[in-house]
Amino acid sequence: MGVVNVTPDSFSDGGIHLDPDTAAASARRMIDEGAAIVDIGGESTRPGSESISAEEELRRVVPVLERLQGEVALSIDTAKSEVARRSLELGAVLVNDVTALRADPALAEVAAEHDAYVCLMHMRGEPRTMQVDPRYDDVVSEVAAFLEERLAFAVAHGVREDRICLDPGIGFGKTVEHNVELLRRFEVLLALGRPVLVGLSRKSTLGKLIGDPNAKTGPLSASLAAAVAAYERGATILRVHDVREHVEALAVVRALA
Ligand code: HH2
């Protein structure tokens, strides 16, 4: 899954895709490079970010979706039913909701109506404050229990189970140690019986793991290592900014398997 953030403030590609032609060109390039789907986002969820209105989010993503309609498999990264509805009307096939259908009570029905794929992600707290001293007794079992409950919620609201993937939400209300533990004990997440999506690309946890305690992002080298490790542990979808490099890395891993 390639990432195109149509935002001024995303942590790694903020500002570069604000022009819809540039954003659409990036999405097309990612598909050419081997992405199966491109995730379009109009609102940053980086630590400390403020939320924006549905009108502003639509203003950012609709021109991009219109340019790609019918051409590129698209996911919409949103927690708002209004944005999801318009995106699905414009041909998006997956709703990627970092709140796992908690923020907007109407989102589950919108996804169900369109028979959309849905990604349910774990987040502790909300982006503005989530990295302020996150604590768990056992991060892996708490994340797994949360995802199991949200999966049941989605199905109860009409989303087909075979349309749903789950995501531990790397960096969303988690320390480096929490993120590492989630990857070490990945089998607990796989036991929920749905494909697992992981977003490690360029995240600050990677920068911290290679020795910079104040890192705000992680380099490509570390992103590739993390993606390969997640793939080998059983991740089905990798959400990445650098598609070509990840496709090449995975091609080698698969050839050696
Ligand atoms: N990470 C980000 C955004 N959306 N969605 C899922 N399912 N999983 C993730 O790990 C995930 C996500 C954060 O990364 P990015 O989109 O690059 O930055 P920002 O939120 O600042 O736009």
Side-chain angles (χ1 to χ4, degrees):
M1 171 185 275
V3 182
V4 172
N5 288 309
V6 193
T7 63
D9 56 345
S10 286
F11 78 95
S12 76
D13 64 346
I16 66 173
H17 293 129
L18 270 179
D19 170 52
D21 288 323
T22 309
S26 289
R28 288 191 191 101
R29 192 198 68 237
M30 289 177 184
I31 295 289
D32 288 346
E33 291 174 347
I37 190 161
V38 178
D39 192 36
I40 308 288
E43 175 173 51
S44 174
T45 49
R46 76 185 191 289
S49 60
E50 299 282 346
S51 59
I52 59 167
S53 67
E55 292 67 38
E56 175 61 16
E57 207 176 317
L58 283 164
R59 202 185 57 72
R60 293 178 187 177
V61 298
V62 165
V64 182
L65 294 163
E66 282 172 346
R67 281 164 174 74
L68 296 169
Q69 201 174 0
E71 198 189 321
V72 171
L74 292 175
S75 156
I76 179 74
D77 188 344
T78 191
K80 298 186 183 77
S81 57
E82 222 177 307
V83 177
R85 177 179 288 110
R86 188 74 194 109
S87 304
L88 294 167
E89 285 166 4
L90 286 169
V93 294
L94 188 152
V95 177
N96 173 25
D97 179 8
V98 298
T99 78
L101 306 177
R102 291 177 297 156
D104 184 337
L107 185 48
E109 278 79 11
V110 168
E113 253 169 53
H114 288 83
D115 204 18
Y117 288 87
V118 175
C119 178
L120 301 172
M121 194 196 81
H122 175 272
M123 168 164 54
R124 168 69 58 88
E126 38 138 7
R128 204 168 46 77
T129 53
M130 66 190 177
Q131 289 308 102
V132 182
D133 196 23
R135 283 166 196 253
Y136 301 82
D137 287 329
D138 174 358
V139 66
V140 181
S141 52
E142 287 171 55
V143 167
F146 170 90
L147 292 175
E148 190 170 27
E149 188 274 320
R150 298 319 294 165
L151 175 61
F153 173 92
V155 171
H157 286 76
V159 182
R160 272 171 46 188
E161 186 163 350
D162 66 1
R163 289 282 191 263
I164 300 173
C165 67
L166 305 174
D167 181 344
I170 298 299
F172 286 84
K174 296 169 189 87
T175 62
V176 174
E177 292 69 29
H178 294 142
N179 294 324
V180 167
E181 193 62 14
L182 284 161
L183 286 159
R184 282 209 180 114
R185 290 167 56 207
F186 208 72
E187 70 283 357
V188 177
L189 305 175
L190 296 177
L192 296 170
R194 297 302 313 147
V196 178
L197 182 155
V198 189
L200 287 150
S201 176
R202 300 187 185 173
K203 285 195 175 163
S204 63
T205 279
L206 304 175
K208 290 173 183 159
L209 281 174
I210 59 171
D212 175 3
N214 301 315
K216 293 274 179 279
T217 61
L220 175 59
S221 53
S223 302
L224 293 169
V228 167
Y231 173 76
E232 290 198 320
R233 283 165 174 69
T236 300
I237 305 173
L238 299 167
R239 184 179 182 279
V240 307
H241 302 84
D242 304 284
V243 170
R244 185 174 56 78
E245 291 83 350
H246 281 82
V247 167
E248 288 173 355
L250 291 181
V252 173
V253 176
R254 293 169 83 148
L256 300 178

PDB file of all heavy atoms in Angstrom, residues 3 5 7 9-13 39 43-46 77 96-98 119 121 167 169-170 172 197-201 203 239 241, ligand 1:
ATOM      1  N   VAL A   3       1.479   5.382   0.074  1.00  0.00           N
ATOM      2  CA  VAL A   3       0.873   6.461   0.864  1.00  0.00           C
ATOM      3  C   VAL A   3       1.007   7.786   0.131  1.00  0.00           C
ATOM      4  O   VAL A   3       2.124   8.169  -0.249  1.00  0.00           O
ATOM      5  CB  VAL A   3       1.591   6.630   2.231  1.00  0.00           C
ATOM      6  CG1 VAL A   3       0.923   7.732   3.054  1.00  0.00           C
ATOM      7  CG2 VAL A   3       1.620   5.319   3.000  1.00  0.00           C
ATOM      8  N   ASN A   5      -0.176  11.560   1.156  1.00  0.00           N
ATOM      9  CA  ASN A   5      -0.827  12.459   2.108  1.00  0.00           C
ATOM     10  C   ASN A   5      -1.026  13.828   1.468  1.00  0.00           C
ATOM     11  O   ASN A   5      -0.048  14.517   1.174  1.00  0.00           O
ATOM     12  CB  ASN A   5       0.023  12.596   3.369  1.00  0.00           C
ATOM     13  CG  ASN A   5      -0.019  11.331   4.205  1.00  0.00           C
ATOM     14  OD1 ASN A   5      -1.087  10.819   4.516  1.00  0.00           O
ATOM     15  ND2 ASN A   5       1.153  10.811   4.551  1.00  0.00           N
ATOM     16  N   THR A   7      -1.701  16.735   2.514  1.00  0.00           N
ATOM     17  CA  THR A   7      -1.747  17.549   3.730  1.00  0.00           C
ATOM     18  C   THR A   7      -0.542  18.493   3.761  1.00  0.00           C
ATOM     19  O   THR A   7       0.487  18.197   3.159  1.00  0.00           O
ATOM     20  CB  THR A   7      -1.644  16.665   4.991  1.00  0.00           C
ATOM     21  OG1 THR A   7      -0.362  16.012   4.969  1.00  0.00           O
ATOM     22  CG2 THR A   7      -2.734  15.612   5.049  1.00  0.00           C
ATOM     23  N   ASP A   9       1.025  19.026   6.558  1.00  0.00           N
ATOM     24  CA  ASP A   9       1.743  18.789   7.813  1.00  0.00           C
ATOM     25  C   ASP A   9       2.009  17.328   8.152  1.00  0.00           C
ATOM     26  O   ASP A   9       2.345  17.024   9.298  1.00  0.00           O
ATOM     27  CB  ASP A   9       0.947  19.434   8.961  1.00  0.00           C
ATOM     28  CG  ASP A   9      -0.489  18.912   9.028  1.00  0.00           C
ATOM     29  OD1 ASP A   9      -0.953  18.298   8.049  1.00  0.00           O
ATOM     30  OD2 ASP A   9      -1.134  19.119  10.066  1.00  0.00           O
ATOM     31  N   SER A  10       1.877  16.395   7.192  1.00  0.00           N
ATOM     32  CA  SER A  10       2.173  15.000   7.526  1.00  0.00           C
ATOM     33  C   SER A  10       3.646  14.868   7.892  1.00  0.00           C
ATOM     34  O   SER A  10       4.485  15.617   7.399  1.00  0.00           O
ATOM     35  CB  SER A  10       1.834  14.082   6.356  1.00  0.00           C
ATOM     36  OG  SER A  10       0.435  13.965   6.270  1.00  0.00           O
ATOM     37  N   PHE A  11       3.965  13.877   8.752  1.00  0.00           N
ATOM     38  CA  PHE A  11       5.311  13.874   9.324  1.00  0.00           C
ATOM     39  C   PHE A  11       6.398  13.583   8.304  1.00  0.00           C
ATOM     40  O   PHE A  11       7.530  13.999   8.480  1.00  0.00           O
ATOM     41  CB  PHE A  11       5.384  12.916  10.532  1.00  0.00           C
ATOM     42  CG  PHE A  11       5.493  11.472  10.142  1.00  0.00           C
ATOM     43  CD1 PHE A  11       6.735  10.854  10.066  1.00  0.00           C
ATOM     44  CD2 PHE A  11       4.368  10.727   9.849  1.00  0.00           C
ATOM     45  CE1 PHE A  11       6.855   9.518   9.711  1.00  0.00           C
ATOM     46  CE2 PHE A  11       4.473   9.385   9.491  1.00  0.00           C
ATOM     47  CZ  PHE A  11       5.714   8.793   9.417  1.00  0.00           C
ATOM     48  N   SER A  12       6.072  12.866   7.227  1.00  0.00           N
ATOM     49  CA  SER A  12       7.172  12.557   6.310  1.00  0.00           C
ATOM     50  C   SER A  12       6.989  13.125   4.902  1.00  0.00           C
ATOM     51  O   SER A  12       7.967  13.406   4.230  1.00  0.00           O
ATOM     52  CB  SER A  12       7.387  11.052   6.230  1.00  0.00           C
ATOM     53  OG  SER A  12       6.390  10.481   5.450  1.00  0.00           O
ATOM     54  N   ASP A  13       5.750  13.279   4.441  1.00  0.00           N
ATOM     55  CA  ASP A  13       5.562  13.822   3.088  1.00  0.00           C
ATOM     56  C   ASP A  13       4.643  15.038   3.089  1.00  0.00           C
ATOM     57  O   ASP A  13       4.053  15.377   2.076  1.00  0.00           O
ATOM     58  CB  ASP A  13       5.036  12.748   2.127  1.00  0.00           C
ATOM     59  CG  ASP A  13       3.642  12.237   2.495  1.00  0.00           C
ATOM     60  OD1 ASP A  13       3.190  12.506   3.626  1.00  0.00           O
ATOM     61  OD2 ASP A  13       3.001  11.592   1.649  1.00  0.00           O
ATOM     62  N   ASP A  39      -3.131   4.660  -0.609  1.00  0.00           N
ATOM     63  CA  ASP A  39      -3.915   5.236   0.481  1.00  0.00           C
ATOM     64  C   ASP A  39      -3.820   6.759   0.402  1.00  0.00           C
ATOM     65  O   ASP A  39      -2.734   7.326   0.531  1.00  0.00           O
ATOM     66  CB  ASP A  39      -3.311   4.738   1.810  1.00  0.00           C
ATOM     67  CG  ASP A  39      -4.188   5.031   3.011  1.00  0.00           C
ATOM     68  OD1 ASP A  39      -5.429   4.973   2.885  1.00  0.00           O
ATOM     69  OD2 ASP A  39      -3.625   5.288   4.099  1.00  0.00           O
ATOM     70  N   GLU A  43      -5.929  14.251   6.154  1.00  0.00           N
ATOM     71  CA  GLU A  43      -5.727  14.781   7.508  1.00  0.00           C
ATOM     72  C   GLU A  43      -4.544  14.082   8.157  1.00  0.00           C
ATOM     73  O   GLU A  43      -4.507  12.856   8.224  1.00  0.00           O
ATOM     74  CB  GLU A  43      -6.980  14.541   8.357  1.00  0.00           C
ATOM     75  CG  GLU A  43      -6.800  14.962   9.810  1.00  0.00           C
ATOM     76  CD  GLU A  43      -8.094  14.887  10.624  1.00  0.00           C
ATOM     77  OE1 GLU A  43      -8.762  13.832  10.588  1.00  0.00           O
ATOM     78  OE2 GLU A  43      -8.432  15.876  11.270  1.00  0.00           O
ATOM     79  N   SER A  44      -3.591  14.855   8.653  1.00  0.00           N
ATOM     80  CA  SER A  44      -2.445  14.238   9.332  1.00  0.00           C
ATOM     81  C   SER A  44      -2.879  13.715  10.696  1.00  0.00           C
ATOM     82  O   SER A  44      -3.689  14.335  11.380  1.00  0.00           O
ATOM     83  CB  SER A  44      -1.328  15.259   9.519  1.00  0.00           C
ATOM     84  OG  SER A  44      -0.295  14.676  10.305  1.00  0.00           O
ATOM     85  N   THR A  45      -2.325  12.556  11.045  1.00  0.00           N
ATOM     86  CA  THR A  45      -2.589  11.993  12.380  1.00  0.00           C
ATOM     87  C   THR A  45      -1.283  11.853  13.143  1.00  0.00           C
ATOM     88  O   THR A  45      -1.190  11.078  14.080  1.00  0.00           O
ATOM     89  CB  THR A  45      -3.275  10.618  12.255  1.00  0.00           C
ATOM     90  OG1 THR A  45      -2.538   9.820  11.314  1.00  0.00           O
ATOM     91  CG2 THR A  45      -4.695  10.757  11.787  1.00  0.00           C
ATOM     92  N   ARG A  46      -0.254  12.609  12.708  1.00  0.00           N
ATOM     93  CA  ARG A  46       1.041  12.519  13.409  1.00  0.00           C
ATOM     94  C   ARG A  46       0.851  12.986  14.847  1.00  0.00           C
ATOM     95  O   ARG A  46      -0.071  13.769  15.141  1.00  0.00           O
ATOM     96  CB  ARG A  46       2.091  13.376  12.694  1.00  0.00           C
ATOM     97  CG  ARG A  46       1.916  14.837  12.966  1.00  0.00           C
ATOM     98  CD  ARG A  46       2.845  15.745  12.208  1.00  0.00           C
ATOM     99  NE  ARG A  46       2.734  17.091  12.776  1.00  0.00           N
ATOM    100  CZ  ARG A  46       1.683  17.884  12.643  1.00  0.00           C
ATOM    101  NH1 ARG A  46       0.633  17.470  11.950  1.00  0.00           N
ATOM    102  NH2 ARG A  46       1.654  19.074  13.203  1.00  0.00           N
ATOM    103  N   ASP A  77      -7.899   7.321   3.681  1.00  0.00           N
ATOM    104  CA  ASP A  77      -7.475   7.348   5.090  1.00  0.00           C
ATOM    105  C   ASP A  77      -8.312   8.427   5.772  1.00  0.00           C
ATOM    106  O   ASP A  77      -7.977   9.612   5.720  1.00  0.00           O
ATOM    107  CB  ASP A  77      -5.975   7.687   5.129  1.00  0.00           C
ATOM    108  CG  ASP A  77      -5.369   7.556   6.518  1.00  0.00           C
ATOM    109  OD1 ASP A  77      -6.132   7.499   7.507  1.00  0.00           O
ATOM    110  OD2 ASP A  77      -4.134   7.518   6.614  1.00  0.00           O
ATOM    111  N   ASN A  96      -9.703   3.332   5.361  1.00  0.00           N
ATOM    112  CA  ASN A  96      -8.645   3.113   6.359  1.00  0.00           C
ATOM    113  C   ASN A  96      -8.904   4.087   7.516  1.00  0.00           C
ATOM    114  O   ASN A  96      -8.620   5.279   7.410  1.00  0.00           O
ATOM    115  CB  ASN A  96      -7.291   3.382   5.698  1.00  0.00           C
ATOM    116  CG  ASN A  96      -6.155   3.345   6.687  1.00  0.00           C
ATOM    117  OD1 ASN A  96      -6.254   2.693   7.740  1.00  0.00           O
ATOM    118  ND2 ASN A  96      -5.074   4.042   6.377  1.00  0.00           N
ATOM    119  N   ASP A  97      -9.474   3.568   8.594  1.00  0.00           N
ATOM    120  CA  ASP A  97      -9.896   4.440   9.701  1.00  0.00           C
ATOM    121  C   ASP A  97      -9.002   4.205  10.921  1.00  0.00           C
ATOM    122  O   ASP A  97      -9.101   3.170  11.589  1.00  0.00           O
ATOM    123  CB  ASP A  97     -11.360   4.162  10.045  1.00  0.00           C
ATOM    124  CG  ASP A  97     -11.843   5.029  11.200  1.00  0.00           C
ATOM    125  OD1 ASP A  97     -11.099   5.943  11.620  1.00  0.00           O
ATOM    126  OD2 ASP A  97     -12.961   4.780  11.692  1.00  0.00           O
ATOM    127  N   VAL A  98      -8.173   5.202  11.231  1.00  0.00           N
ATOM    128  CA  VAL A  98      -7.247   5.055  12.365  1.00  0.00           C
ATOM    129  C   VAL A  98      -7.986   5.046  13.703  1.00  0.00           C
ATOM    130  O   VAL A  98      -7.381   4.763  14.732  1.00  0.00           O
ATOM    131  CB  VAL A  98      -6.134   6.142  12.369  1.00  0.00           C
ATOM    132  CG1 VAL A  98      -5.267   6.048  11.122  1.00  0.00           C
ATOM    133  CG2 VAL A  98      -6.699   7.542  12.543  1.00  0.00           C
ATOM    134  N   CYS A 119     -10.075  -1.020   7.026  1.00  0.00           N
ATOM    135  CA  CYS A 119      -8.941  -1.299   7.919  1.00  0.00           C
ATOM    136  C   CYS A 119      -9.255  -0.707   9.293  1.00  0.00           C
ATOM    137  O   CYS A 119      -9.537   0.486   9.407  1.00  0.00           O
ATOM    138  CB  CYS A 119      -7.648  -0.697   7.365  1.00  0.00           C
ATOM    139  SG  CYS A 119      -6.265  -0.995   8.508  1.00  0.00           S
ATOM    140  N   MET A 121      -7.760   0.154  12.856  1.00  0.00           N
ATOM    141  CA  MET A 121      -6.444   0.343  13.484  1.00  0.00           C
ATOM    142  C   MET A 121      -6.571   0.653  14.964  1.00  0.00           C
ATOM    143  O   MET A 121      -7.496   1.349  15.386  1.00  0.00           O
ATOM    144  CB  MET A 121      -5.697   1.487  12.788  1.00  0.00           C
ATOM    145  CG  MET A 121      -4.226   1.538  13.119  1.00  0.00           C
ATOM    146  SD  MET A 121      -3.453   3.108  12.681  1.00  0.00           S
ATOM    147  CE  MET A 121      -3.963   4.091  14.103  1.00  0.00           C
ATOM    148  N   ASP A 167      -4.965  -3.628  12.176  1.00  0.00           N
ATOM    149  CA  ASP A 167      -3.676  -2.929  12.195  1.00  0.00           C
ATOM    150  C   ASP A 167      -3.340  -2.558  13.641  1.00  0.00           C
ATOM    151  O   ASP A 167      -4.154  -1.909  14.308  1.00  0.00           O
ATOM    152  CB  ASP A 167      -3.813  -1.676  11.316  1.00  0.00           C
ATOM    153  CG  ASP A 167      -2.541  -0.848  11.212  1.00  0.00           C
ATOM    154  OD1 ASP A 167      -1.625  -1.041  12.021  1.00  0.00           O
ATOM    155  OD2 ASP A 167      -2.496   0.018  10.316  1.00  0.00           O
ATOM    156  N   GLY A 169      -1.416  -0.335  14.679  1.00  0.00           N
ATOM    157  CA  GLY A 169      -1.252   1.112  14.854  1.00  0.00           C
ATOM    158  C   GLY A 169       0.099   1.492  15.436  1.00  0.00           C
ATOM    159  O   GLY A 169       0.188   2.088  16.517  1.00  0.00           O
ATOM    160  N   ILE A 170       1.154   1.169  14.679  1.00  0.00           N
ATOM    161  CA  ILE A 170       2.517   1.479  15.148  1.00  0.00           C
ATOM    162  C   ILE A 170       2.649   2.993  15.367  1.00  0.00           C
ATOM    163  O   ILE A 170       2.357   3.796  14.466  1.00  0.00           O
ATOM    164  CB  ILE A 170       3.558   0.983  14.100  1.00  0.00           C
ATOM    165  CG1 ILE A 170       3.466  -0.539  13.926  1.00  0.00           C
ATOM    166  CG2 ILE A 170       4.975   1.428  14.472  1.00  0.00           C
ATOM    167  CD1 ILE A 170       3.732  -1.373  15.162  1.00  0.00           C
ATOM    168  N   PHE A 172       0.899   4.898  17.397  1.00  0.00           N
ATOM    169  CA  PHE A 172      -0.325   5.580  17.810  1.00  0.00           C
ATOM    170  C   PHE A 172      -0.599   5.312  19.293  1.00  0.00           C
ATOM    171  O   PHE A 172      -1.329   4.386  19.648  1.00  0.00           O
ATOM    172  CB  PHE A 172      -1.509   5.140  16.952  1.00  0.00           C
ATOM    173  CG  PHE A 172      -1.486   5.712  15.552  1.00  0.00           C
ATOM    174  CD1 PHE A 172      -0.749   5.111  14.547  1.00  0.00           C
ATOM    175  CD2 PHE A 172      -2.203   6.872  15.242  1.00  0.00           C
ATOM    176  CE1 PHE A 172      -0.719   5.638  13.262  1.00  0.00           C
ATOM    177  CE2 PHE A 172      -2.178   7.407  13.962  1.00  0.00           C
ATOM    178  CZ  PHE A 172      -1.433   6.791  12.971  1.00  0.00           C
ATOM    179  N   LEU A 197      -2.449  -5.383   8.567  1.00  0.00           N
ATOM    180  CA  LEU A 197      -1.752  -4.292   7.875  1.00  0.00           C
ATOM    181  C   LEU A 197      -0.804  -3.647   8.875  1.00  0.00           C
ATOM    182  O   LEU A 197      -1.159  -3.487  10.038  1.00  0.00           O
ATOM    183  CB  LEU A 197      -2.794  -3.285   7.379  1.00  0.00           C
ATOM    184  CG  LEU A 197      -2.365  -2.058   6.573  1.00  0.00           C
ATOM    185  CD1 LEU A 197      -3.542  -1.578   5.702  1.00  0.00           C
ATOM    186  CD2 LEU A 197      -1.859  -0.906   7.401  1.00  0.00           C
ATOM    187  N   VAL A 198       0.393  -3.285   8.415  1.00  0.00           N
ATOM    188  CA  VAL A 198       1.331  -2.604   9.315  1.00  0.00           C
ATOM    189  C   VAL A 198       1.922  -1.376   8.632  1.00  0.00           C
ATOM    190  O   VAL A 198       2.332  -1.424   7.468  1.00  0.00           O
ATOM    191  CB  VAL A 198       2.507  -3.515   9.743  1.00  0.00           C
ATOM    192  CG1 VAL A 198       3.309  -2.831  10.854  1.00  0.00           C
ATOM    193  CG2 VAL A 198       2.009  -4.837  10.243  1.00  0.00           C
ATOM    194  N   GLY A 199       1.967  -0.277   9.375  1.00  0.00           N
ATOM    195  CA  GLY A 199       2.587   0.953   8.887  1.00  0.00           C
ATOM    196  C   GLY A 199       3.801   1.287   9.729  1.00  0.00           C
ATOM    197  O   GLY A 199       3.672   1.789  10.841  1.00  0.00           O
ATOM    198  N   LEU A 200       4.974   0.975   9.206  1.00  0.00           N
ATOM    199  CA  LEU A 200       6.225   1.273   9.918  1.00  0.00           C
ATOM    200  C   LEU A 200       7.025   2.341   9.179  1.00  0.00           C
ATOM    201  O   LEU A 200       7.910   2.968   9.754  1.00  0.00           O
ATOM    202  CB  LEU A 200       7.075   0.001   9.991  1.00  0.00           C
ATOM    203  CG  LEU A 200       6.591  -1.079  10.950  1.00  0.00           C
ATOM    204  CD1 LEU A 200       6.986  -2.453  10.441  1.00  0.00           C
ATOM    205  CD2 LEU A 200       7.166  -0.837  12.331  1.00  0.00           C
ATOM    206  N   SER A 201       6.687   2.528   7.908  1.00  0.00           N
ATOM    207  CA  SER A 201       7.486   3.347   7.003  1.00  0.00           C
ATOM    208  C   SER A 201       7.799   4.728   7.568  1.00  0.00           C
ATOM    209  O   SER A 201       6.898   5.494   7.926  1.00  0.00           O
ATOM    210  CB  SER A 201       6.683   3.472   5.697  1.00  0.00           C
ATOM    211  OG  SER A 201       7.294   4.304   4.770  1.00  0.00           O
ATOM    212  N   LYS A 203       8.685   5.845  10.272  1.00  0.00           N
ATOM    213  CA  LYS A 203       8.200   6.284  11.585  1.00  0.00           C
ATOM    214  C   LYS A 203       9.344   6.541  12.570  1.00  0.00           C
ATOM    215  O   LYS A 203      10.414   5.945  12.476  1.00  0.00           O
ATOM    216  CB  LYS A 203       7.183   5.284  12.136  1.00  0.00           C
ATOM    217  CG  LYS A 203       5.856   5.440  11.386  1.00  0.00           C
ATOM    218  CD  LYS A 203       4.684   4.782  12.029  1.00  0.00           C
ATOM    219  CE  LYS A 203       3.423   5.148  11.219  1.00  0.00           C
ATOM    220  NZ  LYS A 203       2.299   4.277  11.491  1.00  0.00           N
ATOM    221  N   ARG A 239       2.071  -0.624   4.651  1.00  0.00           N
ATOM    222  CA  ARG A 239       1.738   0.762   4.249  1.00  0.00           C
ATOM    223  C   ARG A 239       3.050   1.547   4.191  1.00  0.00           C
ATOM    224  O   ARG A 239       3.680   1.758   5.216  1.00  0.00           O
ATOM    225  CB  ARG A 239       0.779   1.351   5.287  1.00  0.00           C
ATOM    226  CG  ARG A 239       0.261   2.734   4.961  1.00  0.00           C
ATOM    227  CD  ARG A 239      -0.703   3.208   6.051  1.00  0.00           C
ATOM    228  NE  ARG A 239      -1.242   4.510   5.749  1.00  0.00           N
ATOM    229  CZ  ARG A 239      -0.593   5.648   5.983  1.00  0.00           C
ATOM    230  NH1 ARG A 239       0.592   5.642   6.519  1.00  0.00           N
ATOM    231  NH2 ARG A 239      -1.152   6.811   5.670  1.00  0.00           N
ATOM    232  N   HIS A 241       5.795   4.612   2.131  1.00  0.00           N
ATOM    233  CA  HIS A 241       5.954   5.812   1.312  1.00  0.00           C
ATOM    234  C   HIS A 241       6.855   5.541   0.101  1.00  0.00           C
ATOM    235  O   HIS A 241       6.690   6.176  -0.928  1.00  0.00           O
ATOM    236  CB  HIS A 241       6.578   6.935   2.138  1.00  0.00           C
ATOM    237  CG  HIS A 241       5.775   7.294   3.357  1.00  0.00           C
ATOM    238  ND1 HIS A 241       5.881   6.602   4.543  1.00  0.00           N
ATOM    239  CD2 HIS A 241       4.827   8.238   3.561  1.00  0.00           C
ATOM    240  CE1 HIS A 241       5.053   7.128   5.434  1.00  0.00           C
ATOM    241  NE2 HIS A 241       4.391   8.117   4.870  1.00  0.00           N
TER     242      HIS A 241
HETATM  243  N1  HH2 B   1      -0.008   5.593   9.947  1.00  0.00           N
HETATM  244  C1  HH2 B   1      -0.228   6.875   9.584  1.00  0.00           C
HETATM  245  C2  HH2 B   1      -1.443   7.243   8.986  1.00  0.00           C
HETATM  246  N2  HH2 B   1      -2.402   6.322   8.721  1.00  0.00           N
HETATM  247  N3  HH2 B   1      -3.144   4.091   8.792  1.00  0.00           N
HETATM  248  C3  HH2 B   1      -2.948   2.824   9.140  1.00  0.00           C
HETATM  249  N4  HH2 B   1      -3.887   1.893   8.891  1.00  0.00           N
HETATM  250  N5  HH2 B   1      -1.783   2.401   9.752  1.00  0.00           N
HETATM  251  C4  HH2 B   1      -0.782   3.279  10.049  1.00  0.00           C
HETATM  252  O1  HH2 B   1       0.245   2.857  10.624  1.00  0.00           O
HETATM  253  C5  HH2 B   1      -0.968   4.657   9.696  1.00  0.00           C
HETATM  254  C6  HH2 B   1      -2.184   5.031   9.057  1.00  0.00           C
HETATM  255  C7  HH2 B   1       0.808   7.889   9.846  1.00  0.00           C
HETATM  256  O2  HH2 B   1       1.666   8.026   8.769  1.00  0.00           O
HETATM  257  P1  HH2 B   1       1.515   9.117   7.607  1.00  0.00           P
HETATM  258  O3  HH2 B   1       0.258   8.944   6.848  1.00  0.00           O
HETATM  259  O4  HH2 B   1       2.750   9.055   6.779  1.00  0.00           O
HETATM  260  O5  HH2 B   1       1.556  10.510   8.367  1.00  0.00           O
HETATM  261  P2  HH2 B   1       0.436  11.543   8.827  1.00  0.00           P
HETATM  262  O6  HH2 B   1      -0.506  10.874   9.748  1.00  0.00           O
HETATM  263  O7  HH2 B   1       1.258  12.619   9.500  1.00  0.00           O
HETATM  264  O8  HH2 B   1      -0.278  12.041   7.607  1.00  0.00           O
END
